[in-house]
Amino acid sequence: MGMSEYMKSIRNKVGHSLLQMPSVTIINFDDEGRVLLLKHRDTNLWVAPGGAIEPGESPADSAKREMWEETGLVVELVDIIGVYGGRDFVVEYSNGDQTSYVMTIFEGRTIGGELKPIDDESIEFGYFTYEESSALEMQPWLKVVLPDILVNKGRKRTLFQTSSWKPEDETDKLS
């Protein structure tokens, strides 16, 4: 689908400046436990399916919509894997737009569809093991997320990035 009308209206006002955006990512495993990744047309880097949450859209609806648009697969959302953000989640697009994503990551189970792009964002698909994925050129955020997901598959708790923040005046006392 590319850029939504909402995002176009924001970009017309702020240009390429860094925007903070809520987003979703869908982790989808095949029967062998490999994770579905796609190569993004704009950046030529590998990512997991996902994208921005539109105004008024629930994260769950956004996740299902993004999965369909980028992969042609219909998924049932079965779990929230984790919530991520930070420096590694800043993406610069080929047109110069910069976006910092706060990402809710869902696990999805395929219930229909056929693996083929509905929009023009994806140029290649594949299911990968952790070892296979480490050889791919990928967005920095995926290097943060994949080890958590693939190494901790089957865990019973929602993941989140560990905080490194400390109050400036307390840093010496806490170290």
Side-chain angles (χ1 to χ4, degrees), residues 32-87:
E32 297 173 32
R34 300 174 302 174
V35 66
L36 175 64
L37 300 177
L38 58 93
K39 197 173 209 180
H40 198 270
R41 181 178 305 281
D42 184 69
T43 62
N44 210 35
L45 296 174
W46 289 88
V47 297
I53 300 170
E54 297 297 326
E57 185 177 42
S58 75
D61 283 344
S62 178
K64 291 179 80 169
R65 175 185 54 77
E66 287 287 347
M67 186 69 162
W68 168 255
E69 289 174 355
E70 293 182 0
T71 69
L73 297 177
V74 179
V75 294
E76 169 187 33
L77 302 177
V78 297
D79 200 0
I80 293 177
I81 293 174
V83 179
Y84 293 80
R87 287 186 194 110

Tab-separated table of all heavy atoms in Angstrom, residues 32-87:
chain	number	residue	atom	x	y	z
A	32	GLU	N	8.171	-25.893	10.488
A	32	GLU	CA	9.507	-26.269	10.951
A	32	GLU	C	10.071	-25.281	11.969
A	32	GLU	O	11.226	-25.384	12.361
A	32	GLU	CB	10.443	-26.388	9.746
A	32	GLU	CG	10.022	-27.480	8.774
A	32	GLU	CD	10.857	-27.483	7.507
A	32	GLU	OE1	12.057	-27.135	7.574
A	32	GLU	OE2	10.304	-27.834	6.460
A	33	GLY	N	9.260	-24.283	12.383
A	33	GLY	CA	9.706	-23.320	13.380
A	33	GLY	C	10.541	-22.182	12.827
A	33	GLY	O	11.127	-21.415	13.586
A	34	ARG	N	10.590	-22.053	11.506
A	34	ARG	CA	11.329	-20.947	10.888
A	34	ARG	C	10.421	-19.725	10.812
A	34	ARG	O	9.206	-19.845	10.706
A	34	ARG	CB	11.805	-21.327	9.494
A	34	ARG	CG	12.741	-22.535	9.500
A	34	ARG	CD	13.079	-22.992	8.106
A	34	ARG	NE	11.840	-23.325	7.386
A	34	ARG	CZ	11.793	-23.650	6.103
A	34	ARG	NH1	12.888	-23.673	5.370
A	34	ARG	NH2	10.641	-23.944	5.530
A	35	VAL	N	11.028	-18.536	10.833
A	35	VAL	CA	10.261	-17.295	10.846
A	35	VAL	C	10.189	-16.697	9.439
A	35	VAL	O	11.163	-16.733	8.688
A	35	VAL	CB	10.861	-16.287	11.855
A	35	VAL	CG1	12.235	-15.813	11.430
A	35	VAL	CG2	9.936	-15.109	12.082
A	36	LEU	N	9.016	-16.148	9.102
A	36	LEU	CA	8.802	-15.514	7.805
A	36	LEU	C	9.413	-14.121	7.801
A	36	LEU	O	9.112	-13.296	8.672
A	36	LEU	CB	7.302	-15.418	7.498
A	36	LEU	CG	6.929	-14.662	6.224
A	36	LEU	CD1	7.472	-15.370	4.987
A	36	LEU	CD2	5.410	-14.496	6.144
A	37	LEU	N	10.275	-13.861	6.823
A	37	LEU	CA	10.854	-12.536	6.621
A	37	LEU	C	10.615	-12.128	5.179
A	37	LEU	O	10.431	-12.976	4.299
A	37	LEU	CB	12.352	-12.546	6.919
A	37	LEU	CG	12.756	-12.953	8.333
A	37	LEU	CD1	14.277	-12.984	8.452
A	37	LEU	CD2	12.146	-12.025	9.377
A	38	LEU	N	10.626	-10.828	4.946
A	38	LEU	CA	10.462	-10.324	3.588
A	38	LEU	C	11.499	-9.248	3.328
A	38	LEU	O	11.979	-8.586	4.242
A	38	LEU	CB	9.052	-9.800	3.347
A	38	LEU	CG	8.531	-8.680	4.251
A	38	LEU	CD1	8.799	-7.325	3.632
A	38	LEU	CD2	7.042	-8.876	4.470
A	39	LYS	N	11.856	-9.128	2.065
A	39	LYS	CA	12.792	-8.093	1.647
A	39	LYS	C	11.966	-6.894	1.215
A	39	LYS	O	11.106	-6.987	0.346
A	39	LYS	CB	13.674	-8.596	0.506
A	39	LYS	CG	14.896	-7.762	0.289
A	39	LYS	CD	15.805	-8.427	-0.735
A	39	LYS	CE	17.237	-8.073	-0.477
A	39	LYS	NZ	18.123	-8.701	-1.462
A	40	HIS	N	12.231	-5.754	1.857
A	40	HIS	CA	11.470	-4.533	1.620
A	40	HIS	C	11.981	-3.815	0.378
A	40	HIS	O	13.182	-3.603	0.230
A	40	HIS	CB	11.588	-3.625	2.859
A	40	HIS	CG	10.559	-2.582	2.928
A	40	HIS	ND1	10.726	-1.349	2.379
A	40	HIS	CD2	9.323	-2.600	3.473
A	40	HIS	CE1	9.644	-0.627	2.592
A	40	HIS	NE2	8.775	-1.362	3.253
A	41	ARG	N	11.084	-3.468	-0.524
A	41	ARG	CA	11.445	-2.825	-1.787
A	41	ARG	C	12.181	-1.498	-1.570
A	41	ARG	O	13.160	-1.197	-2.232
A	41	ARG	CB	10.191	-2.591	-2.635
A	41	ARG	CG	10.474	-1.940	-3.983
A	41	ARG	CD	9.222	-1.766	-4.822
A	41	ARG	NE	8.473	-2.991	-5.031
A	41	ARG	CZ	8.788	-3.937	-5.920
A	41	ARG	NH1	9.854	-3.782	-6.683
A	41	ARG	NH2	8.046	-5.021	-6.034
A	42	ASP	N	11.744	-0.689	-0.627
A	42	ASP	CA	12.305	0.651	-0.452
A	42	ASP	C	13.737	0.627	0.054
A	42	ASP	O	14.576	1.388	-0.410
A	42	ASP	CB	11.433	1.471	0.503
A	42	ASP	CG	11.941	2.893	0.636
A	42	ASP	OD1	11.843	3.656	-0.341
A	42	ASP	OD2	12.474	3.220	1.715
A	43	THR	N	14.016	-0.239	1.022
A	43	THR	CA	15.338	-0.252	1.655
A	43	THR	C	16.229	-1.389	1.174
A	43	THR	O	17.420	-1.400	1.456
A	43	THR	CB	15.194	-0.369	3.180
A	43	THR	OG1	14.535	-1.609	3.483
A	43	THR	CG2	14.427	0.810	3.761
A	44	ASN	N	15.633	-2.379	0.511
A	44	ASN	CA	16.340	-3.574	0.064
A	44	ASN	C	16.911	-4.366	1.245
A	44	ASN	O	17.902	-5.080	1.115
A	44	ASN	CB	17.430	-3.238	-0.955
A	44	ASN	CG	17.670	-4.368	-1.935
A	44	ASN	OD1	16.740	-5.085	-2.319
A	44	ASN	ND2	18.912	-4.550	-2.326
A	45	LEU	N	16.287	-4.216	2.410
A	45	LEU	CA	16.694	-4.935	3.615
A	45	LEU	C	15.573	-5.873	4.051
A	45	LEU	O	14.393	-5.627	3.790
A	45	LEU	CB	17.006	-3.944	4.743
A	45	LEU	CG	18.175	-2.993	4.507
A	45	LEU	CD1	18.267	-1.976	5.634
A	45	LEU	CD2	19.477	-3.764	4.367
A	46	TRP	N	15.970	-6.935	4.753
A	46	TRP	CA	15.012	-7.907	5.252
A	46	TRP	C	14.356	-7.401	6.529
A	46	TRP	O	15.008	-6.776	7.379
A	46	TRP	CB	15.696	-9.241	5.511
A	46	TRP	CG	16.081	-9.937	4.249
A	46	TRP	CD1	17.250	-9.788	3.551
A	46	TRP	CD2	15.295	-10.863	3.509
A	46	TRP	NE1	17.237	-10.574	2.424
A	46	TRP	CE2	16.041	-11.252	2.369
A	46	TRP	CE3	14.027	-11.415	3.686
A	46	TRP	CZ2	15.565	-12.161	1.441
A	46	TRP	CZ3	13.553	-12.328	2.754
A	46	TRP	CH2	14.316	-12.687	1.645
A	47	VAL	N	13.068	-7.670	6.657
A	47	VAL	CA	12.267	-7.303	7.821
A	47	VAL	C	11.231	-8.395	8.067
A	47	VAL	O	11.020	-9.258	7.225
A	47	VAL	CB	11.541	-5.946	7.631
A	47	VAL	CG1	12.532	-4.798	7.470
A	47	VAL	CG2	10.581	-5.986	6.452
A	48	ALA	N	10.575	-8.324	9.198
A	48	ALA	CA	9.375	-9.126	9.418
A	48	ALA	C	8.198	-8.279	8.950
A	48	ALA	O	8.272	-7.048	8.956
A	48	ALA	CB	9.241	-9.481	10.903
A	49	PRO	N	7.103	-8.894	8.533
A	49	PRO	CA	5.953	-8.120	8.069
A	49	PRO	C	5.441	-7.183	9.156
A	49	PRO	O	5.454	-7.520	10.339
A	49	PRO	CB	4.901	-9.190	7.755
A	49	PRO	CG	5.672	-10.450	7.581
A	49	PRO	CD	6.878	-10.333	8.448
A	50	GLY	N	4.989	-6.005	8.740
A	50	GLY	CA	4.417	-5.062	9.689
A	50	GLY	C	4.402	-3.654	9.143
A	50	GLY	O	4.779	-3.417	7.995
A	51	GLY	N	3.966	-2.724	9.977
A	51	GLY	CA	3.923	-1.335	9.569
A	51	GLY	C	3.217	-0.470	10.584
A	51	GLY	O	2.905	-0.905	11.693
A	52	ALA	N	2.943	0.761	10.181
A	52	ALA	CA	2.356	1.762	11.069
A	52	ALA	C	0.893	1.450	11.379
A	52	ALA	O	0.161	0.937	10.534
A	52	ALA	CB	2.466	3.145	10.438
A	53	ILE	N	0.505	1.799	12.585
A	53	ILE	CA	-0.897	1.718	12.992
A	53	ILE	C	-1.561	3.017	12.531
A	53	ILE	O	-1.084	4.104	12.846
A	53	ILE	CB	-1.019	1.559	14.523
A	53	ILE	CG1	-0.312	0.280	14.982
A	53	ILE	CG2	-2.488	1.574	14.945
A	53	ILE	CD1	-0.178	0.162	16.491
A	54	GLU	N	-2.642	2.903	11.799
A	54	GLU	CA	-3.355	4.070	11.294
A	54	GLU	C	-4.228	4.671	12.397
A	54	GLU	O	-4.657	3.952	13.315
A	54	GLU	CB	-4.223	3.675	10.093
A	54	GLU	CG	-3.430	3.179	8.907
A	54	GLU	CD	-2.504	4.238	8.321
A	54	GLU	OE1	-2.848	5.428	8.329
A	54	GLU	OE2	-1.410	3.856	7.852
A	55	PRO	N	-4.524	5.982	12.328
A	55	PRO	CA	-5.397	6.599	13.330
A	55	PRO	C	-6.736	5.868	13.418
A	55	PRO	O	-7.346	5.542	12.401
A	55	PRO	CB	-5.590	8.021	12.792
A	55	PRO	CG	-4.375	8.277	11.971
A	55	PRO	CD	-4.044	6.951	11.342
A	56	GLY	N	-7.148	5.562	14.641
A	56	GLY	CA	-8.407	4.886	14.868
A	56	GLY	C	-8.367	3.379	14.670
A	56	GLY	O	-9.364	2.697	14.899
A	57	GLU	N	-7.227	2.840	14.268
A	57	GLU	CA	-7.089	1.410	14.014
A	57	GLU	C	-6.503	0.739	15.258
A	57	GLU	O	-5.572	1.258	15.868
A	57	GLU	CB	-6.156	1.203	12.818
A	57	GLU	CG	-6.009	-0.218	12.364
A	57	GLU	CD	-5.120	-0.335	11.131
A	57	GLU	OE1	-4.067	0.337	11.062
A	57	GLU	OE2	-5.479	-1.116	10.233
A	58	SER	N	-7.021	-0.416	15.614
A	58	SER	CA	-6.452	-1.138	16.747
A	58	SER	C	-5.142	-1.798	16.314
A	58	SER	O	-4.961	-2.110	15.128
A	58	SER	CB	-7.426	-2.206	17.254
A	58	SER	OG	-7.449	-3.316	16.371
A	59	PRO	N	-4.207	-2.012	17.247
A	59	PRO	CA	-2.978	-2.721	16.884
A	59	PRO	C	-3.256	-4.092	16.269
A	59	PRO	O	-2.596	-4.479	15.305
A	59	PRO	CB	-2.223	-2.827	18.213
A	59	PRO	CG	-2.689	-1.641	18.991
A	59	PRO	CD	-4.158	-1.502	18.628
A	60	ALA	N	-4.234	-4.817	16.782
A	60	ALA	CA	-4.538	-6.148	16.242
A	60	ALA	C	-5.034	-6.054	14.798
A	60	ALA	O	-4.609	-6.833	13.935
A	60	ALA	CB	-5.565	-6.859	17.123
A	61	ASP	N	-5.935	-5.109	14.528
A	61	ASP	CA	-6.413	-4.938	13.152
A	61	ASP	C	-5.274	-4.519	12.231
A	61	ASP	O	-5.170	-4.982	11.101
A	61	ASP	CB	-7.539	-3.906	13.079
A	61	ASP	CG	-8.871	-4.454	13.550
A	61	ASP	OD1	-9.026	-5.688	13.663
A	61	ASP	OD2	-9.782	-3.631	13.805
A	62	SER	N	-4.412	-3.637	12.720
A	62	SER	CA	-3.266	-3.196	11.934
A	62	SER	C	-2.360	-4.379	11.596
A	62	SER	O	-1.893	-4.518	10.464
A	62	SER	CB	-2.481	-2.130	12.704
A	62	SER	OG	-1.358	-1.719	11.978
A	63	ALA	N	-2.116	-5.242	12.571
A	63	ALA	CA	-1.246	-6.401	12.348
A	63	ALA	C	-1.824	-7.320	11.277
A	63	ALA	O	-1.110	-7.746	10.365
A	63	ALA	CB	-1.041	-7.169	13.656
A	64	LYS	N	-3.093	-7.612	11.365
A	64	LYS	CA	-3.714	-8.488	10.368
A	64	LYS	C	-3.710	-7.843	8.985
A	64	LYS	O	-3.437	-8.502	7.987
A	64	LYS	CB	-5.127	-8.863	10.812
A	64	LYS	CG	-5.110	-9.785	12.041
A	64	LYS	CD	-6.487	-10.143	12.503
A	64	LYS	CE	-7.029	-11.242	11.623
A	64	LYS	NZ	-8.258	-11.839	12.151
A	65	ARG	N	-4.005	-6.531	8.927
A	65	ARG	CA	-4.004	-5.815	7.653
A	65	ARG	C	-2.612	-5.789	7.032
A	65	ARG	O	-2.433	-6.082	5.846
A	65	ARG	CB	-4.519	-4.379	7.845
A	65	ARG	CG	-4.436	-3.519	6.577
A	65	ARG	CD	-4.839	-2.077	6.826
A	65	ARG	NE	-4.120	-1.422	7.899
A	65	ARG	CZ	-2.867	-0.956	7.823
A	65	ARG	NH1	-2.159	-1.101	6.705
A	65	ARG	NH2	-2.313	-0.350	8.852
A	66	GLU	N	-1.611	-5.429	7.828
A	66	GLU	CA	-0.236	-5.361	7.314
A	66	GLU	C	0.237	-6.728	6.816
A	66	GLU	O	0.890	-6.821	5.775
A	66	GLU	CB	0.719	-4.823	8.381
A	66	GLU	CG	0.579	-3.345	8.650
A	66	GLU	CD	1.135	-2.455	7.546
A	66	GLU	OE1	1.868	-2.949	6.654
A	66	GLU	OE2	0.845	-1.256	7.572
A	67	MET	N	-0.077	-7.777	7.550
A	67	MET	CA	0.324	-9.119	7.128
A	67	MET	C	-0.290	-9.444	5.771
A	67	MET	O	0.390	-9.954	4.880
A	67	MET	CB	-0.089	-10.137	8.190
A	67	MET	CG	0.415	-11.518	7.914
A	67	MET	SD	2.208	-11.602	8.114
A	67	MET	CE	2.421	-13.348	8.257
A	68	TRP	N	-1.560	-9.141	5.606
A	68	TRP	CA	-2.250	-9.402	4.348
A	68	TRP	C	-1.632	-8.589	3.210
A	68	TRP	O	-1.321	-9.133	2.156
A	68	TRP	CB	-3.736	-9.075	4.503
A	68	TRP	CG	-4.464	-9.032	3.203
A	68	TRP	CD1	-4.898	-7.916	2.531
A	68	TRP	CD2	-4.828	-10.137	2.383
A	68	TRP	NE1	-5.510	-8.272	1.363
A	68	TRP	CE2	-5.480	-9.631	1.242
A	68	TRP	CE3	-4.663	-11.509	2.501
A	68	TRP	CZ2	-5.971	-10.451	0.232
A	68	TRP	CZ3	-5.154	-12.322	1.492
A	68	TRP	CH2	-5.801	-11.799	0.374
A	69	GLU	N	-1.457	-7.289	3.427
A	69	GLU	CA	-0.934	-6.429	2.364
A	69	GLU	C	0.466	-6.844	1.912
A	69	GLU	O	0.771	-6.831	0.725
A	69	GLU	CB	-0.888	-4.964	2.834
A	69	GLU	CG	-2.236	-4.321	2.976
A	69	GLU	CD	-2.185	-2.926	3.574
A	69	GLU	OE1	-1.082	-2.461	3.985
A	69	GLU	OE2	-3.253	-2.291	3.658
A	70	GLU	N	1.317	-7.199	2.871
A	70	GLU	CA	2.712	-7.480	2.535
A	70	GLU	C	2.972	-8.922	2.120
A	70	GLU	O	3.965	-9.184	1.429
A	70	GLU	CB	3.614	-7.100	3.710
A	70	GLU	CG	3.630	-5.600	3.945
A	70	GLU	CD	4.544	-5.174	5.062
A	70	GLU	OE1	5.199	-6.034	5.702
A	70	GLU	OE2	4.613	-3.959	5.315
A	71	THR	N	2.124	-9.862	2.550
A	71	THR	CA	2.422	-11.267	2.275
A	71	THR	C	1.294	-12.047	1.607
A	71	THR	O	1.531	-13.150	1.133
A	71	THR	CB	2.779	-12.023	3.573
A	71	THR	OG1	1.598	-12.141	4.384
A	71	THR	CG2	3.883	-11.320	4.335
A	72	GLY	N	0.076	-11.523	1.613
A	72	GLY	CA	-1.057	-12.272	1.087
A	72	GLY	C	-1.575	-13.332	2.044
A	72	GLY	O	-2.479	-14.083	1.705
A	73	LEU	N	-1.026	-13.384	3.262
A	73	LEU	CA	-1.461	-14.382	4.243
A	73	LEU	C	-2.467	-13.773	5.218
A	73	LEU	O	-2.330	-12.614	5.634
A	73	LEU	CB	-0.271	-14.928	5.027
A	73	LEU	CG	0.781	-15.680	4.218
A	73	LEU	CD1	1.943	-16.101	5.121
A	73	LEU	CD2	0.178	-16.882	3.507
A	74	VAL	N	-3.457	-14.567	5.581
A	74	VAL	CA	-4.412	-14.202	6.624
A	74	VAL	C	-3.948	-14.912	7.880
A	74	VAL	O	-3.679	-16.118	7.857
A	74	VAL	CB	-5.840	-14.636	6.260
A	74	VAL	CG1	-6.813	-14.278	7.378
A	74	VAL	CG2	-6.269	-14.003	4.941
A	75	VAL	N	-3.818	-14.151	8.973
A	75	VAL	CA	-3.343	-14.748	10.217
A	75	VAL	C	-4.351	-14.569	11.340
A	75	VAL	O	-5.148	-13.640	11.338
A	75	VAL	CB	-1.980	-14.159	10.669
A	75	VAL	CG1	-0.870	-14.518	9.710
A	75	VAL	CG2	-2.061	-12.664	10.896
A	76	GLU	N	-4.262	-15.492	12.272
A	76	GLU	CA	-4.915	-15.373	13.558
A	76	GLU	C	-3.814	-14.923	14.517
A	76	GLU	O	-2.722	-15.508	14.521
A	76	GLU	CB	-5.452	-16.736	13.958
A	76	GLU	CG	-5.935	-16.821	15.384
A	76	GLU	CD	-6.299	-18.251	15.767
A	76	GLU	OE1	-5.679	-19.210	15.278
A	76	GLU	OE2	-7.209	-18.379	16.597
A	77	LEU	N	-4.067	-13.881	15.282
A	77	LEU	CA	-3.070	-13.419	16.250
A	77	LEU	C	-3.205	-14.260	17.509
A	77	LEU	O	-4.288	-14.369	18.078
A	77	LEU	CB	-3.268	-11.939	16.550
A	77	LEU	CG	-3.184	-11.029	15.323
A	77	LEU	CD1	-3.479	-9.584	15.706
A	77	LEU	CD2	-1.837	-11.148	14.637
A	78	VAL	N	-2.092	-14.865	17.936
A	78	VAL	CA	-2.147	-15.811	19.050
A	78	VAL	C	-1.437	-15.323	20.307
A	78	VAL	O	-1.632	-15.891	21.367
A	78	VAL	CB	-1.591	-17.196	18.639
A	78	VAL	CG1	-2.448	-17.807	17.547
A	78	VAL	CG2	-0.152	-17.108	18.177
A	79	ASP	N	-0.614	-14.275	20.171
A	79	ASP	CA	0.136	-13.822	21.341
A	79	ASP	C	0.756	-12.468	21.048
A	79	ASP	O	0.991	-12.127	19.891
A	79	ASP	CB	1.260	-14.824	21.653
A	79	ASP	CG	1.789	-14.732	23.077
A	79	ASP	OD1	1.294	-13.891	23.871
A	79	ASP	OD2	2.706	-15.504	23.403
A	80	ILE	N	1.013	-11.708	22.080
A	80	ILE	CA	1.882	-10.541	21.970
A	80	ILE	C	3.245	-11.012	22.437
A	80	ILE	O	3.414	-11.464	23.569
A	80	ILE	CB	1.406	-9.356	22.816
A	80	ILE	CG1	0.096	-8.802	22.263
A	80	ILE	CG2	2.480	-8.265	22.854
A	80	ILE	CD1	-0.478	-7.666	23.082
A	81	ILE	N	4.214	-10.940	21.541
A	81	ILE	CA	5.564	-11.386	21.858
A	81	ILE	C	6.286	-10.343	22.698
A	81	ILE	O	6.975	-10.670	23.654
A	81	ILE	CB	6.345	-11.701	20.574
A	81	ILE	CG1	5.735	-12.927	19.896
A	81	ILE	CG2	7.820	-11.893	20.859
A	81	ILE	CD1	6.313	-13.250	18.547
A	82	GLY	N	6.139	-9.076	22.332
A	82	GLY	CA	6.829	-8.042	23.084
A	82	GLY	C	6.591	-6.662	22.512
A	82	GLY	O	5.927	-6.487	21.501
A	83	VAL	N	7.167	-5.675	23.205
A	83	VAL	CA	7.093	-4.277	22.809
A	83	VAL	C	8.514	-3.738	22.773
A	83	VAL	O	9.279	-3.921	23.724
A	83	VAL	CB	6.238	-3.452	23.795
A	83	VAL	CG1	6.180	-1.994	23.386
A	83	VAL	CG2	4.830	-4.048	23.902
A	84	TYR	N	8.864	-3.100	21.669
A	84	TYR	CA	10.234	-2.650	21.435
A	84	TYR	C	10.256	-1.227	20.888
A	84	TYR	O	9.294	-0.766	20.295
A	84	TYR	CB	10.925	-3.560	20.412
A	84	TYR	CG	11.173	-4.957	20.894
A	84	TYR	CD1	10.164	-5.905	20.887
A	84	TYR	CD2	12.427	-5.324	21.365
A	84	TYR	CE1	10.402	-7.196	21.331
A	84	TYR	CE2	12.669	-6.613	21.798
A	84	TYR	CZ	11.656	-7.541	21.777
A	84	TYR	OH	11.895	-8.816	22.223
A	85	GLY	N	11.391	-0.565	21.044
A	85	GLY	CA	11.625	0.763	20.470
A	85	GLY	C	13.040	1.190	20.803
A	85	GLY	O	13.804	0.443	21.417
A	86	GLY	N	13.409	2.385	20.393
A	86	GLY	CA	14.738	2.915	20.684
A	86	GLY	C	15.528	3.189	19.424
A	86	GLY	O	15.005	3.169	18.311
A	87	ARG	N	16.820	3.452	19.604
A	87	ARG	CA	17.692	3.847	18.482
A	87	ARG	C	17.690	2.856	17.320
A	87	ARG	O	17.731	3.240	16.166
A	87	ARG	CB	19.124	4.031	18.965
A	87	ARG	CG	19.329	5.259	19.775
A	87	ARG	CD	20.808	5.467	20.101
A	87	ARG	NE	20.923	6.455	21.132
A	87	ARG	CZ	21.301	6.201	22.380
A	87	ARG	NH1	21.647	4.988	22.728
A	87	ARG	NH2	21.347	7.164	23.260
